[in-house]
Amino acid sequence: MAISSFGGALQQYAFKANPNGRVTRQSCSIDDEPFPTTTAAGPKRKSLSKAPSTQTPSPATSTKRKLPTATASPSPTKKKKRASSTYAPPSKYAHLPNLLTDSLAPNLICVFIGVNPGLRTAITGHAYSHPSNLFWKLCHISGCTPRLCKPTEDHDLPHLYALGHTNIVSRATKDAGELSREEMDEGVEVLEEKCRRWRPESVCIVGKSIWESLWRVRHGRKIGKDEFRYGWQDEGENMGIVRGGDGAEAWGGARVYVATTTSGLAAGMRPHEKEEVWRGLGEWVKKKRRQRGIPDKGGVKEVVAGMGAEAVVDEEVAKASS
């Protein structure tokens, strides 16, 4: 018999007592006629079937389901990036002393060129003096110095191992991010002049940003990713080249080696990767030390070739340190 109403359909599931006293539920067989699709049920009608619904959820339901995804917080495994510094005018640190001076002398094996003195370095007057800076450690591990030197020995480097140091910018800041690009670029010609005056065999660029400034000034454009490389640069990139003429003695310039930054704030490379880059310079410096007869304990007998000028060197170092 056909079921004519929704109420009639429910009668199939009514409970009734059996003669034996047990309560049973009436159900239809698979052969019974299905429920009619046209009933007078209101909007609260629900399907009796327990099978998963294939009906597309309403817009309101979809919005609620997507809400947790839209407002989800970032994954806890991602570390928050350190905020980079912004430009700081010279007046910001004008109240602090800047006691750092260049450590230079004629005909050194290598002069290290840093960005600028940090606040601790400026106050103490010794290069790379912050405990987190890896400069002295990398110099030793690479072979540039046969032992681990202290920051307080920075002005002894010319006499000890024919090494020196200077910076592309002289004013002190918390970090290099507080310098302007113009300041960096203006320091390029100053470096060129220092190389022409002291004529070292090589210079070590301590950090990619310094080399980027040199490249911008020399080539008038930004260095390309395929053009940048750590290590020795082409001979045409030598610093302090003297062309000769007007009585000037021609000089081929100082070879350029680009090394990684040693700042403890820079985390772009792992320590072993930095060591690998620095080792290329250290092996060359070690070879030059042996050629000059410089003992591992240190002590340069003659810095200016052919002049026997130990006294001249001491005088020049004193000038640079004053």
Side-chain angles (χ1 to χ4, degrees), residues 110 112 144 202 204 232 257 277-285:
C110 183
F112 298 98
C144 289
S202 70
C204 173
W232 293 110
Y257 191 95
V277 173
W278 276 77
R279 194 169 289 114
L281 174 67
E283 292 298 325
W284 182 84
V285 170

Side-chain angles (χ1 to χ4, degrees), residues 25-241:
R25 185 178 67 181
Q26 180 180 346
S27 62
C28 61
S29 69
I30 59 175
D31 295 330
D32 290 339
E33 184 178 352
F35 298 151
T37 57
T38 55
T39 65
K44 293 185 179 181
R45 172 187 174 186
K46 296 182 180 179
S47 172
L48 297 177
S49 174
K50 294 184 180 181
S53 174
T54 58
Q55 182 179 2
T56 303
S58 64
T61 304
S62 300
T63 302
K64 289 183 180 179
R65 289 181 179 177
K66 292 180 180 179
L67 185 59
T69 303
T71 59
S73 60
S75 173
T77 59
K78 293 183 179 180
K79 293 183 178 180
K80 194 172 182 179
K81 290 186 177 180
R82 175 187 175 90
S84 59
S85 299
T86 56
Y87 172 75
S91 59
K92 182 174 181 178
Y93 302 109
H95 63 288
L96 297 176
N98 187 357
L99 304 179
L100 184 69
T101 57
D102 292 343
S103 181
L104 298 171
N107 196 33
L108 298 176
I109 293 175
C110 183
V111 171
F112 298 98
I113 300 175
V115 180
N116 73 313
L119 301 183
R120 183 186 179 93
T121 291
I123 294 172
T124 62
H126 296 295
Y128 307 99
S129 62
H130 197 282
S132 68
N133 198 291
L134 300 175
F135 176 80
W136 299 103
K137 180 180 179 181
L138 287 171
C139 276
H140 173 49
I141 292 176
S142 66
C144 289
T145 57
R147 64 177 176 82
L148 180 60
C149 295
K150 301 176 182 178
T152 52
E153 297 179 278
D154 56 349
H155 291 299
D156 296 327
L157 286 181
H159 173 69
L160 289 173
Y161 304 117
L163 302 173
H165 68 79
T166 186
N167 291 306
I168 190 171
V169 177
S170 60
R171 78 178 181 98
T173 59
K174 182 180 66 176
D175 57 48
E178 293 187 325
L179 297 174
S180 68
R181 178 179 293 186
E182 290 72 24
E183 285 179 287
M184 296 281 287
D185 291 355
E186 288 171 1
V188 172
E189 182 52 36
V190 177
L191 293 177
E192 297 278 10
E193 182 55 37
K194 289 180 181 179
C195 288
R196 285 191 287 266
R197 178 185 178 188
W198 301 107
R199 299 197 177 188
E201 285 197 62
S202 70
V203 294
C204 173
I205 307 299
V206 186
K208 182 180 178 181
S209 62
I210 306 170
W211 185 239
E212 289 173 336
S213 287
L214 282 160
W215 187 279
R216 272 196 308 270
V217 172
R218 290 178 168 187
H219 301 276
R221 60 178 177 82
K222 181 179 178 181
I223 188 171
K225 290 184 178 180
D226 58 334
E227 295 174 308
F228 175 81
R229 70 175 184 274
Y230 289 110
W232 293 110
Q233 305 301 309
D234 297 336
E235 185 177 343
E237 300 294 345
N238 286 4
M239 291 194 65
I241 297 174

